[in-house]
Amino acid sequence: ACERARQWVGATLLLERMRQSGVRRNSESFAIAMRALSRSGKWRRALELFADMPSMGIAYDEKTFAAAMSACQQGNRQTMQWVREKMEDEGRESGRNADNDDELRR
């Protein structure tokens, strides 16, 4: 619900409350928060969450990569390349296609 309503404050507070309460956060909870942030124009904060995931013991997955790439669409080509490198480091396909490559050249 937070994601669809672009309630980035609620989404990030929920992540923090989960941590404080000892509730295990997972990649899905991070992806939701990242999408809410991105859709609210807070793409940098979404990428910060993405970058912090490994240090919190949360593995990247397709949903978090997609949320990070979505945030990059609001950012710039360097951030998109950074996410692609993370995907490749994890042994995942970067989803490159002609449209994405055009984005990187802009």
Side-chain angles (χ1 to χ4, degrees), residues 54-91:
S55 67
M56 296 180 211
I58 310 294
Y60 297 132
D61 66 7
E62 287 74 19
K63 289 180 182 181
T64 56
F65 281 124
M69 292 299 275
S70 177
C72 289
Q73 288 176 343
Q74 295 184 32
N76 58 43
R77 67 177 176 229
Q78 287 85 16
T79 56
M80 188 174 289
Q81 183 60 38
W82 175 76
V83 172
R84 282 189 173 158
E85 289 169 5
K86 292 283 188 193
M87 290 174 76
E88 290 167 3
D89 289 348
E90 295 282 321

